[in-house]
Amino acid sequence: MIADTPPFKVRPQQTYVPCRQWNWQPSRPFVVELVEGGRVKVWEPFGGPSGLGCHRWVALASLHESGTTRTGKERQTGWRLHAGPPSQGQELCGSCMTWVDRDQLAVSAWGYGHSTCAPCKTKIDQVVGI
């Protein structure tokens, strides 16, 4: 007998990333702000005309617990749970979309989603050659 697992639940401040990244159709990660019926209000840190974030609505059915189906196949559409919600005092790294403790931030910016954690900063420095 398989043990019962609690049903997957979408909650505010969870972060989601695309199940599959298409080169011809950019899909950005986002943070859940509000769950209302069959839709979810999300915040994209890098969306909007100025690139400083925007809000939009996503169908609740498009959000998944994992990037694979029950049969083990890779999902072709939708978004998968990445992280969250955060623990007390954590901030969102805009590079990896993971909630981290404030002392783990290499760059702290105003507003969540615009800071950078130490591991991401190290990777950025390696790519840039610093």
Side-chain angles (χ1 to χ4, degrees):
M1 179 182 231
I2 298 174
D4 290 333
T5 58
F8 171 62
K9 185 167 182 168
V10 176
R11 293 186 169 90
Q13 296 190 312
Q14 288 176 329
T15 62
Y16 286 80
V17 294
C19 287
R20 184 165 179 169
Q21 189 70 35
W22 300 93
N23 292 335
W24 50 270
Q25 184 183 26
S27 295
R28 296 180 296 258
F30 55 74
V31 180
V32 171
E33 288 202 330
L34 174 71
V35 180
E36 184 179 276
R39 63 188 193 151
V40 179
K41 184 178 181 184
V42 302
W43 176 72
E44 293 180 347
F46 308 108
S50 64
L52 295 175
C54 70
H55 294 93
R56 68 184 178 103
W57 291 93
V58 173
L60 181 61
S62 297
L63 304 183
H64 309 287
E65 187 172 16
S66 76
T68 56
T69 64
R70 282 183 287 222
T71 60
K73 292 185 180 182
E74 180 184 1
R75 291 187 188 279
Q76 302 296 305
T77 60
W79 291 267
R80 65 176 173 82
L81 179 63
H82 178 68
S87 299
Q88 184 69 27
Q90 290 188 319
E91 290 197 28
L92 182 65
C93 172
S95 297
C96 65
M97 295 298 288
T98 302
W99 295 98
V100 297
D101 293 331
R102 287 187 181 118
D103 63 352
Q104 294 297 310
L105 293 176
V107 178
S108 183
W110 182 72
Y112 70 81
H114 297 289
S115 299
T116 304
C117 68
C120 288
K121 173 85 167 66
T122 300
K123 289 177 188 175
I124 292 167
D125 289 347
Q126 289 172 348
V127 169
V128 175
I130 294 177

